[in-house]
Amino acid sequence: MLQAVSAQGLHLCRRAALGLSYRHVWGELKRWEKELGNELVVWEKGQSARLTEFGAKLMWAERQAQARLAPQIEALRGELERSFAQAFDDSVHVVTL
């Protein structure tokens, strides 16, 4: 949601990027602001919403974490695919312990 607000503002993000209603996006952002104890978005009447400094830093931290974890997540996805393929292959005998 923060990326959509950053790129397009709240009104466009609800229609184009997220397919969610304004009320839903607004409610979720407000819920996360309360949970995190910091404002995420600057809301000014008549203008597009924009990220606060905290919101921008949070988005940066998420991108950093995703970049670091992407190889591990991809490896796990591959392992799960192989495990499921074996589990549902009638010629493979699965032993449960």
Side-chain angles (χ1 to χ4, degrees):
M1 250 186 243
L2 292 180
Q3 289 176 356
V5 171
S6 176
Q8 303 172 357
L10 188 59
H11 291 291
L12 289 176
C13 95
R14 73 180 165 103
R15 279 187 249 132
L18 301 175
L20 302 170
S21 72
Y22 175 88
R23 179 177 286 189
H24 179 79
V25 172
W26 186 84
E28 282 299 300
L29 288 170
K30 285 298 183 188
R31 183 178 71 80
W32 278 107
E33 286 179 341
K34 184 177 179 182
E35 186 76 24
L36 296 169
N38 282 292
E39 290 186 349
L40 297 171
V41 177
V42 175
W43 311 85
E44 294 178 0
K45 190 172 182 160
Q47 295 185 13
S48 291
R50 66 183 191 283
L51 296 182
T52 62
E53 183 178 352
F54 177 80
K57 286 181 179 183
L58 187 63
M59 197 170 68
W60 176 85
E62 179 190 17
R63 284 194 306 264
Q64 293 296 108
Q66 285 176 347
R68 280 192 308 272
L69 294 174
Q72 290 89 347
I73 292 170
E74 186 57 30
L76 180 58
R77 187 193 61 74
E79 286 182 39
L80 286 170
E81 264 184 17
R82 285 187 294 281
S83 294
F84 286 144
Q86 288 179 337
F88 293 103
D89 183 348
D90 292 336
S91 68
V92 174
H93 299 288
V94 178
V95 177
T96 57
L97 303 174

